[in-house]
Amino acid sequence: MENQDRKTNINWFPGHMQKAKRQMMESLKLVDIVIEIRDARIPYSSENPMLLDIIGNKPRIIVLTKKDMADSDRTSQWLEYFKSNGLEAISVNSNSDDLKKIIPELVKKVLKEKIEKAKARGIRKKVLRAMVCGIPNAGKSTLINNIVRKKAAKVENRPGVTKQLQWIRLNEDVELLDTPGVLWPRFSDQRVAYNLALVGSLNDQVVDKDVIIAHAINHLYHNYPDILINRYDIKLDDNDDYIMILNKIASSKKIYTLNNQLDINKTIDFILTDVRNDKLKNVTWEFLDESNNG
């Protein structure tokens, strides 16, 4: 199958994201640690490359959300990569894991040396403050709501919902500063833009849907062919290309126009909805050896 590689100039930095970046920089002096939320399906693409410039030497934890949607073997490889580079990293299911226990323990683990030094100087116990940040739609608000057991952060399946900073008291030891999802101005790697658009972290007007789905089908064809076969009840051949597979899916699922022609546009929407609603199951959209991290 031929790789669908289209040249795309993608710029994305709405005004509220510029404001959020400025607020994060101003608030950084108030926190002890940064919790970076990434999507386990796209661990590299969901990193904000501006974040390190913003936080400097502040301690950082990486939390891969949506682990139940990703390929568990690939997630393990990513976690090992992060840890081999000296980063504390975990994967979680934001809807079901006991994050009210997991997150505070992790914060205290990473800040253990700082806590002990404070005790040695006779400084009374203080609340540890963590800034929670991540790109839009990475699962940050769902994670926070799980932790506090209530709807502290607004959740919608579209990018850029959280637009204000807010403090959330987790327990007597830890306080969280929730921040809006922030992207960066320009994507130098088109695969990053495609991955972000695929999982809904980029607005659908930024990248054409046919480009997104060409990218997705190419990845599935080469790495998860059984998912294409089983989900869409089709047969794959060695010489299949993106259009051939789209036609096979449209035919199998009986997606037609009013003129009884295969409706490719509706088929694209159908597949994109499958991806975002986790109908394909356990797919990681980028592998360690394919990314710039590898």
Side-chain angles (χ1 to χ4, degrees):
M1 181 179 180
E2 295 181 359
N3 188 9
Q4 303 290 322
D5 185 15
R6 301 191 185 187
K7 297 299 180 183
T8 308
N9 183 22
I10 300 171
N11 295 279
W12 172 258
F13 207 57
H16 75 269
M17 291 191 182
Q18 179 65 61
K19 178 182 177 182
K21 176 186 176 183
R22 186 171 61 252
Q23 288 176 325
M24 287 170 63
M25 295 178 72
E26 292 171 352
S27 302
L28 197 64
K29 61 182 178 293
L30 303 175
V31 303
D32 303 290
I33 191 169
V34 172
I35 299 175
E36 181 189 0
I37 307 300
R38 300 195 197 181
D39 188 325
R41 298 169 296 173
I42 51 170
Y44 173 66
S45 294
S46 55
E47 173 194 21
N48 189 332
M50 296 190 306
L51 184 62
L52 288 181
D53 291 334
I54 294 173
I55 69 174
N57 295 322
K58 192 75 68 172
R60 177 170 54 129
I61 296 168
I62 294 176
V63 177
L64 298 182
T65 60
K66 307 183 184 183
K67 72 174 183 181
D68 51 315
M69 298 183 184
D71 180 333
S72 59
D73 291 336
R74 296 293 179 175
T75 299
S76 295
Q77 292 174 12
W78 279 103
L79 291 175
E80 286 301 316
Y81 169 78
F82 293 134
K83 291 175 182 178
S84 71
N85 282 273
L87 290 167
E88 191 69 38
I90 60 169
S91 62
V92 301
N93 178 352
S94 298
N95 288 311
S96 61
D97 286 343
D98 188 5
L99 301 177
K100 193 174 180 66
K101 178 180 179 182
I102 294 171
I103 297 299
E105 288 181 350
L106 197 56
V107 167
K108 286 187 278 189
K109 175 184 175 183
V110 175
L111 296 177
K112 181 180 178 181
E113 184 176 345
K114 180 175 182 176
I115 295 170
E116 290 178 346
K117 285 182 178 179
K119 287 182 178 179
R121 295 198 302 269
I123 299 175
R124 62 175 184 161
K125 181 180 178 182
K126 72 163 190 169
V127 174
L128 300 172
R129 287 181 160 182
M131 177 185 288
V132 184
C133 56
I135 67 168
N137 208 34
K140 178 171 58 64
S141 295
T142 301
L143 178 141
I144 288 175
N145 290 338
N146 174 301
I147 291 173
V148 299
R149 308 295 186 189
K150 64 179 180 180
K151 289 190 175 181
K154 189 174 182 181
V155 178
E156 290 185 25
N157 189 24
R158 60 186 177 90
V161 172
T162 303
K163 291 189 172 69
Q164 300 295 328
L165 297 170
Q166 58 177 328
W167 285 101
I168 300 166
R169 188 62 177 262
L170 179 51
N171 57 26
E172 62 180 9
D173 298 320
V174 179
E175 196 170 46
L176 303 179
L177 176 61
D178 185 21
T179 64
V182 179
L183 286 172
W184 50 105
R186 183 176 289 104
F187 302 101
S188 58
D189 186 341
Q190 292 181 18
R191 292 174 304 170
V192 169
Y194 299 162
N195 286 330
L196 291 170
L198 183 62
V199 303
S201 290
L202 265 182
N203 191 291
D204 282 339
Q205 279 70 51
V206 178
V207 184
D208 290 340
K209 290 182 181 179
D210 61 332
V211 177
I212 302 170
I213 294 303
H215 170 71
I217 287 180
N218 183 57
H219 182 77
L220 294 169
Y221 179 86
H222 288 291
N223 299 293
Y224 300 100
D226 288 346
I227 289 178
L228 279 174
I229 292 167
N230 296 329
R231 173 63 184 167
Y232 300 111
D233 194 23
I234 61 174
K235 292 183 179 180
L236 295 177
D237 298 311
D238 290 341
N239 64 341
D240 278 343
D241 61 19
Y242 159 60
I243 296 300
M244 291 177 181
I245 294 175
L246 271 182
N247 278 289
K248 287 182 179 183
I249 294 173
S251 177
S252 173
K253 296 301 178 181
K254 297 180 171 53
I255 304 175
Y256 297 103
T257 65
L258 293 176
N259 296 326
N260 207 34
Q261 301 294 315
L262 293 176
D263 194 327
I264 300 304
N265 288 331
K266 285 186 179 179
T267 304
I268 287 171
D269 286 338
F270 179 71
I271 298 169
L272 189 57
T273 299
D274 271 2
V275 171
R276 293 178 179 172
N277 291 339
D278 194 31
K279 299 296 184 182
L280 302 184
K281 301 295 181 186
N282 307 123
V283 175
T284 295
W285 294 104
E286 60 188 357
F287 300 161
L288 182 59
D289 53 3
E290 296 175 340
S291 75
N292 291 343
N293 280 316

Tab-separated table of all heavy atoms in Angstrom, residues 143-186:
chain	number	residue	atom	x	y	z
A	143	LEU	N	-9.418	13.018	33.735
A	143	LEU	CA	-8.521	12.574	34.803
A	143	LEU	C	-8.770	13.369	36.084
A	143	LEU	O	-8.884	12.790	37.173
A	143	LEU	CB	-7.076	12.721	34.342
A	143	LEU	CG	-5.984	12.350	35.351
A	143	LEU	CD1	-4.833	11.632	34.640
A	143	LEU	CD2	-5.433	13.591	36.055
A	144	ILE	N	-8.868	14.686	35.970
A	144	ILE	CA	-9.079	15.524	37.153
A	144	ILE	C	-10.428	15.222	37.792
A	144	ILE	O	-10.548	15.127	39.018
A	144	ILE	CB	-8.952	17.005	36.785
A	144	ILE	CG1	-7.483	17.335	36.502
A	144	ILE	CG2	-9.491	17.906	37.897
A	144	ILE	CD1	-7.244	18.732	36.009
A	145	ASN	N	-11.451	15.055	36.981
A	145	ASN	CA	-12.777	14.760	37.526
A	145	ASN	C	-12.801	13.422	38.251
A	145	ASN	O	-13.492	13.252	39.244
A	145	ASN	CB	-13.823	14.767	36.407
A	145	ASN	CG	-14.062	16.166	35.868
A	145	ASN	OD1	-13.785	17.156	36.537
A	145	ASN	ND2	-14.568	16.253	34.650
A	146	ASN	N	-12.040	12.452	37.745
A	146	ASN	CA	-11.918	11.163	38.425
A	146	ASN	C	-11.259	11.349	39.788
A	146	ASN	O	-11.708	10.787	40.795
A	146	ASN	CB	-11.097	10.197	37.566
A	146	ASN	CG	-10.793	8.871	38.252
A	146	ASN	OD1	-10.174	8.840	39.315
A	146	ASN	ND2	-11.200	7.787	37.637
A	147	ILE	N	-10.214	12.156	39.833
A	147	ILE	CA	-9.471	12.359	41.075
A	147	ILE	C	-10.349	12.980	42.167
A	147	ILE	O	-10.367	12.534	43.310
A	147	ILE	CB	-8.239	13.248	40.823
A	147	ILE	CG1	-7.215	12.494	39.967
A	147	ILE	CG2	-7.599	13.676	42.141
A	147	ILE	CD1	-6.046	13.356	39.540
A	148	VAL	N	-11.074	14.021	41.799
A	148	VAL	CA	-11.847	14.748	42.806
A	148	VAL	C	-13.271	14.222	42.957
A	148	VAL	O	-14.034	14.717	43.788
A	148	VAL	CB	-11.875	16.252	42.495
A	148	VAL	CG1	-10.469	16.825	42.509
A	148	VAL	CG2	-12.537	16.537	41.163
A	149	ARG	N	-13.618	13.214	42.143
A	149	ARG	CA	-14.927	12.547	42.240
A	149	ARG	C	-16.095	13.491	41.983
A	149	ARG	O	-17.177	13.318	42.501
A	149	ARG	CB	-15.114	11.892	43.612
A	149	ARG	CG	-13.990	10.988	44.035
A	149	ARG	CD	-13.859	9.784	43.134
A	149	ARG	NE	-12.860	8.843	43.650
A	149	ARG	CZ	-12.412	7.785	42.990
A	149	ARG	NH1	-12.872	7.529	41.792
A	149	ARG	NH2	-11.522	6.982	43.526
A	150	LYS	N	-15.864	14.506	41.212
A	150	LYS	CA	-16.954	15.405	40.833
A	150	LYS	C	-16.533	16.137	39.561
A	150	LYS	O	-15.381	16.058	39.134
A	150	LYS	CB	-17.255	16.412	41.934
A	150	LYS	CG	-16.105	17.371	42.233
A	150	LYS	CD	-16.489	18.343	43.326
A	150	LYS	CE	-15.343	19.300	43.622
A	150	LYS	NZ	-15.681	20.263	44.666
A	151	LYS	N	-17.463	16.841	38.953
A	151	LYS	CA	-17.160	17.541	37.719
A	151	LYS	C	-16.513	18.889	38.015
A	151	LYS	O	-17.145	19.931	37.952
A	151	LYS	CB	-18.415	17.711	36.863
A	151	LYS	CG	-18.907	16.407	36.258
A	151	LYS	CD	-19.997	16.646	35.233
A	151	LYS	CE	-20.396	15.334	34.559
A	151	LYS	NZ	-21.454	15.537	33.537
A	152	ALA	N	-15.220	18.817	38.349
A	152	ALA	CA	-14.478	20.047	38.618
A	152	ALA	C	-14.024	20.684	37.315
A	152	ALA	O	-13.904	21.888	37.200
A	152	ALA	CB	-13.263	19.745	39.490
A	153	ALA	N	-13.758	19.860	36.319
A	153	ALA	CA	-13.294	20.350	35.027
A	153	ALA	C	-14.297	19.965	33.957
A	153	ALA	O	-14.796	18.848	33.928
A	153	ALA	CB	-11.915	19.741	34.703
A	154	LYS	N	-14.602	20.904	33.080
A	154	LYS	CA	-15.575	20.647	32.026
A	154	LYS	C	-15.000	19.671	31.015
A	154	LYS	O	-13.842	19.779	30.616
A	154	LYS	CB	-15.960	21.953	31.329
A	154	LYS	CG	-17.119	21.820	30.353
A	154	LYS	CD	-17.536	23.180	29.824
A	154	LYS	CE	-18.728	23.056	28.886
A	154	LYS	NZ	-19.133	24.374	28.349
A	155	VAL	N	-15.805	18.686	30.601
A	155	VAL	CA	-15.349	17.654	29.673
A	155	VAL	C	-16.234	17.651	28.441
A	155	VAL	O	-17.451	17.552	28.537
A	155	VAL	CB	-15.390	16.251	30.323
A	155	VAL	CG1	-14.953	15.200	29.312
A	155	VAL	CG2	-14.511	16.203	31.557
A	156	GLU	N	-15.616	17.786	27.281
A	156	GLU	CA	-16.309	17.610	26.009
A	156	GLU	C	-15.344	16.988	25.029
A	156	GLU	O	-14.126	17.166	25.141
A	156	GLU	CB	-16.820	18.949	25.451
A	156	GLU	CG	-17.979	19.543	26.238
A	156	GLU	CD	-18.532	20.798	25.566
A	156	GLU	OE1	-18.368	20.938	24.331
A	156	GLU	OE2	-19.124	21.625	26.275
A	157	ASN	N	-15.888	16.242	24.052
A	157	ASN	CA	-15.039	15.581	23.077
A	157	ASN	C	-14.715	16.522	21.925
A	157	ASN	O	-15.002	16.263	20.765
A	157	ASN	CB	-15.729	14.324	22.548
A	157	ASN	CG	-14.783	13.488	21.704
A	157	ASN	OD1	-13.578	13.583	21.856
A	157	ASN	ND2	-15.335	12.702	20.807
A	158	ARG	N	-14.160	17.670	22.268
A	158	ARG	CA	-13.688	18.612	21.266
A	158	ARG	C	-12.565	19.425	21.888
A	158	ARG	O	-12.521	19.620	23.100
A	158	ARG	CB	-14.809	19.533	20.766
A	158	ARG	CG	-15.455	20.391	21.839
A	158	ARG	CD	-16.654	21.150	21.270
A	158	ARG	NE	-17.332	21.924	22.304
A	158	ARG	CZ	-17.032	23.176	22.610
A	158	ARG	NH1	-16.041	23.781	21.981
A	158	ARG	NH2	-17.700	23.823	23.546
A	159	PRO	N	-11.614	19.870	21.056
A	159	PRO	CA	-10.448	20.556	21.613
A	159	PRO	C	-10.767	21.940	22.139
A	159	PRO	O	-11.671	22.615	21.668
A	159	PRO	CB	-9.492	20.647	20.406
A	159	PRO	CG	-10.384	20.576	19.217
A	159	PRO	CD	-11.539	19.682	19.607
A	160	GLY	N	-9.992	22.342	23.164
A	160	GLY	CA	-10.039	23.727	23.636
A	160	GLY	C	-11.203	24.073	24.524
A	160	GLY	O	-11.631	25.219	24.564
A	161	VAL	N	-11.756	23.090	25.283
A	161	VAL	CA	-12.910	23.379	26.140
A	161	VAL	C	-12.488	24.122	27.399
A	161	VAL	O	-13.045	25.141	27.755
A	161	VAL	CB	-13.662	22.087	26.498
A	161	VAL	CG1	-14.735	22.370	27.538
A	161	VAL	CG2	-14.293	21.493	25.243
A	162	THR	N	-11.479	23.590	28.116
A	162	THR	CA	-10.994	24.271	29.321
A	162	THR	C	-10.211	25.510	28.912
A	162	THR	O	-9.211	25.417	28.221
A	162	THR	CB	-10.074	23.339	30.143
A	162	THR	OG1	-10.789	22.156	30.456
A	162	THR	CG2	-9.623	24.015	31.424
A	163	LYS	N	-10.659	26.682	29.355
A	163	LYS	CA	-10.008	27.922	28.934
A	163	LYS	C	-9.503	28.759	30.110
A	163	LYS	O	-8.932	29.811	29.909
A	163	LYS	CB	-10.967	28.762	28.080
A	163	LYS	CG	-11.256	28.147	26.713
A	163	LYS	CD	-12.030	29.126	25.850
A	163	LYS	CE	-12.149	28.619	24.421
A	163	LYS	NZ	-12.998	27.458	24.283
A	164	GLN	N	-9.714	28.309	31.353
A	164	GLN	CA	-9.294	29.082	32.515
A	164	GLN	C	-8.444	28.220	33.445
A	164	GLN	O	-8.608	27.007	33.515
A	164	GLN	CB	-10.522	29.596	33.285
A	164	GLN	CG	-11.439	30.507	32.476
A	164	GLN	CD	-10.774	31.812	32.083
A	164	GLN	OE1	-9.929	32.345	32.802
A	164	GLN	NE2	-11.153	32.342	30.938
A	165	LEU	N	-7.537	28.892	34.164
A	165	LEU	CA	-6.788	28.211	35.221
A	165	LEU	C	-7.705	28.031	36.427
A	165	LEU	O	-8.488	28.916	36.760
A	165	LEU	CB	-5.577	29.038	35.637
A	165	LEU	CG	-4.495	29.283	34.571
A	165	LEU	CD1	-3.501	30.309	35.081
A	165	LEU	CD2	-3.792	27.991	34.212
A	166	GLN	N	-7.616	26.876	37.096
A	166	GLN	CA	-8.391	26.694	38.322
A	166	GLN	C	-7.642	25.774	39.288
A	166	GLN	O	-7.038	24.786	38.895
A	166	GLN	CB	-9.781	26.119	38.017
A	166	GLN	CG	-9.806	24.787	37.283
A	166	GLN	CD	-11.215	24.265	37.091
A	166	GLN	OE1	-12.095	24.484	37.914
A	166	GLN	NE2	-11.444	23.552	35.994
A	167	TRP	N	-7.686	26.160	40.576
A	167	TRP	CA	-7.068	25.354	41.623
A	167	TRP	C	-8.077	24.339	42.141
A	167	TRP	O	-9.239	24.659	42.364
A	167	TRP	CB	-6.611	26.238	42.782
A	167	TRP	CG	-5.368	27.027	42.482
A	167	TRP	CD1	-5.293	28.337	42.142
A	167	TRP	CD2	-4.026	26.539	42.501
A	167	TRP	NE1	-3.984	28.713	41.937
A	167	TRP	CE2	-3.181	27.619	42.160
A	167	TRP	CE3	-3.446	25.294	42.771
A	167	TRP	CZ2	-1.797	27.502	42.071
A	167	TRP	CZ3	-2.067	25.174	42.690
A	167	TRP	CH2	-1.253	26.262	42.360
A	168	ILE	N	-7.601	23.109	42.337
A	168	ILE	CA	-8.460	22.020	42.826
A	168	ILE	C	-7.747	21.334	43.985
A	168	ILE	O	-6.645	20.791	43.803
A	168	ILE	CB	-8.761	21.002	41.711
A	168	ILE	CG1	-9.469	21.688	40.547
A	168	ILE	CG2	-9.602	19.849	42.237
A	168	ILE	CD1	-9.514	20.857	39.289
A	169	ARG	N	-8.349	21.373	45.178
A	169	ARG	CA	-7.754	20.730	46.350
A	169	ARG	C	-8.020	19.233	46.265
A	169	ARG	O	-9.160	18.782	46.288
A	169	ARG	CB	-8.351	21.302	47.633
A	169	ARG	CG	-7.653	20.839	48.919
A	169	ARG	CD	-6.202	21.299	48.940
A	169	ARG	NE	-5.534	20.933	50.165
A	169	ARG	CZ	-5.369	21.763	51.199
A	169	ARG	NH1	-5.837	22.997	51.131
A	169	ARG	NH2	-4.738	21.371	52.279
A	170	LEU	N	-6.948	18.458	46.139
A	170	LEU	CA	-7.074	17.009	45.990
A	170	LEU	C	-7.258	16.327	47.338
A	170	LEU	O	-8.188	15.558	47.544
A	170	LEU	CB	-5.835	16.462	45.273
A	170	LEU	CG	-5.750	14.966	45.048
A	170	LEU	CD1	-6.999	14.433	44.394
A	170	LEU	CD2	-4.534	14.648	44.187
A	171	ASN	N	-6.369	16.622	48.257
A	171	ASN	CA	-6.470	16.127	49.639
A	171	ASN	C	-5.642	17.067	50.514
A	171	ASN	O	-5.258	18.146	50.070
A	171	ASN	CB	-6.010	14.669	49.745
A	171	ASN	CG	-4.583	14.461	49.249
A	171	ASN	OD1	-3.756	15.378	49.266
A	171	ASN	ND2	-4.282	13.259	48.785
A	172	GLU	N	-5.364	16.659	51.728
A	172	GLU	CA	-4.633	17.547	52.640
A	172	GLU	C	-3.181	17.749	52.225
A	172	GLU	O	-2.510	18.677	52.700
A	172	GLU	CB	-4.675	16.993	54.066
A	172	GLU	CG	-4.016	15.639	54.212
A	172	GLU	CD	-4.070	15.120	55.631
A	172	GLU	OE1	-4.776	15.740	56.463
A	172	GLU	OE2	-3.412	14.100	55.916
A	173	ASP	N	-2.685	16.911	51.301
A	173	ASP	CA	-1.283	16.977	50.908
A	173	ASP	C	-1.036	17.608	49.546
A	173	ASP	O	0.042	18.156	49.293
A	173	ASP	CB	-0.671	15.566	50.892
A	173	ASP	CG	-0.681	14.912	52.254
A	173	ASP	OD1	-0.415	15.626	53.236
A	173	ASP	OD2	-0.955	13.705	52.341
A	174	VAL	N	-2.005	17.491	48.647
A	174	VAL	CA	-1.757	17.866	47.248
A	174	VAL	C	-2.878	18.755	46.710
A	174	VAL	O	-4.061	18.492	46.935
A	174	VAL	CB	-1.623	16.614	46.352
A	174	VAL	CG1	-1.396	17.021	44.890
A	174	VAL	CG2	-0.477	15.724	46.831
A	175	GLU	N	-2.464	19.789	45.981
A	175	GLU	CA	-3.391	20.687	45.301
A	175	GLU	C	-3.004	20.744	43.827
A	175	GLU	O	-1.824	20.777	43.484
A	175	GLU	CB	-3.303	22.080	45.930
A	175	GLU	CG	-4.463	22.988	45.591
A	175	GLU	CD	-4.430	24.251	46.440
A	175	GLU	OE1	-3.332	24.842	46.563
A	175	GLU	OE2	-5.477	24.654	46.973
A	176	LEU	N	-4.012	20.734	42.952
A	176	LEU	CA	-3.770	20.727	41.517
A	176	LEU	C	-4.147	22.070	40.908
A	176	LEU	O	-5.168	22.660	41.268
A	176	LEU	CB	-4.583	19.629	40.834
A	176	LEU	CG	-4.386	18.192	41.311
A	176	LEU	CD1	-5.308	17.258	40.535
A	176	LEU	CD2	-2.932	17.753	41.164
A	177	LEU	N	-3.339	22.512	39.959
A	177	LEU	CA	-3.685	23.670	39.147
A	177	LEU	C	-4.007	23.166	37.752
A	177	LEU	O	-3.117	22.742	37.015
A	177	LEU	CB	-2.528	24.671	39.099
A	177	LEU	CG	-2.737	25.890	38.185
A	177	LEU	CD1	-3.947	26.709	38.636
A	177	LEU	CD2	-1.489	26.753	38.137
A	178	ASP	N	-5.292	23.183	37.405
A	178	ASP	CA	-5.718	22.749	36.083
A	178	ASP	C	-5.492	23.888	35.089
A	178	ASP	O	-5.767	25.048	35.396
A	178	ASP	CB	-7.199	22.352	36.112
A	178	ASP	CG	-7.669	21.771	34.794
A	178	ASP	OD1	-6.809	21.302	34.016
A	178	ASP	OD2	-8.884	21.783	34.536
A	179	THR	N	-4.981	23.556	33.910
A	179	THR	CA	-4.687	24.569	32.898
A	179	THR	C	-5.365	24.201	31.581
A	179	THR	O	-5.627	23.028	31.319
A	179	THR	CB	-3.167	24.677	32.660
A	179	THR	OG1	-2.681	23.433	32.131
A	179	THR	CG2	-2.439	25.017	33.947
A	180	PRO	N	-5.653	25.177	30.747
A	180	PRO	CA	-6.250	24.879	29.443
A	180	PRO	C	-5.300	24.079	28.561
A	180	PRO	O	-4.075	24.184	28.681
A	180	PRO	CB	-6.499	26.269	28.838
A	180	PRO	CG	-6.471	27.207	29.995
A	180	PRO	CD	-5.510	26.617	30.977
A	181	GLY	N	-5.887	23.271	27.668
A	181	GLY	CA	-5.065	22.549	26.709
A	181	GLY	C	-4.406	23.525	25.742
A	181	GLY	O	-5.045	24.418	25.215
A	182	VAL	N	-3.101	23.349	25.537
A	182	VAL	CA	-2.341	24.275	24.695
A	182	VAL	C	-1.617	23.500	23.599
A	182	VAL	O	-0.921	22.529	23.866
A	182	VAL	CB	-1.311	25.062	25.528
A	182	VAL	CG1	-0.506	25.993	24.636
A	182	VAL	CG2	-2.008	25.859	26.619
A	183	LEU	N	-1.779	23.951	22.365
A	183	LEU	CA	-0.999	23.432	21.243
A	183	LEU	C	0.089	24.439	20.890
A	183	LEU	O	0.210	25.485	21.509
A	183	LEU	CB	-1.911	23.170	20.045
A	183	LEU	CG	-2.806	21.923	20.159
A	183	LEU	CD1	-3.794	21.877	19.005
A	183	LEU	CD2	-1.977	20.657	20.200
A	184	TRP	N	0.882	24.116	19.870
A	184	TRP	CA	1.969	24.989	19.490
A	184	TRP	C	1.688	25.565	18.105
A	184	TRP	O	0.844	25.059	17.359
A	184	TRP	CB	3.303	24.241	19.531
A	184	TRP	CG	3.348	22.919	18.812
A	184	TRP	CD1	3.939	22.645	17.618
A	184	TRP	CD2	2.785	21.671	19.263
A	184	TRP	NE1	3.786	21.315	17.291
A	184	TRP	CE2	3.082	20.700	18.288
A	184	TRP	CE3	2.067	21.286	20.399
A	184	TRP	CZ2	2.677	19.369	18.405
A	184	TRP	CZ3	1.660	19.959	20.512
A	184	TRP	CH2	1.971	19.026	19.526
A	185	PRO	N	2.386	26.651	17.731
A	185	PRO	CA	1.975	27.417	16.544
A	185	PRO	C	2.044	26.667	15.220
A	185	PRO	O	1.221	26.865	14.351
A	185	PRO	CB	2.951	28.598	16.536
A	185	PRO	CG	3.459	28.690	17.924
A	185	PRO	CD	3.475	27.288	18.454
A	186	ARG	N	3.034	25.793	15.047
A	186	ARG	CA	3.240	25.206	13.719
A	186	ARG	C	3.733	23.767	13.864
A	186	ARG	O	4.503	23.449	14.761
A	186	ARG	CB	4.266	26.029	12.941
A	186	ARG	CG	4.505	25.565	11.525
A	186	ARG	CD	5.470	26.490	10.802
A	186	ARG	NE	4.849	27.778	10.521
A	186	ARG	CZ	5.098	28.888	11.198
A	186	ARG	NH1	5.957	28.876	12.202
A	186	ARG	NH2	4.491	30.016	10.895
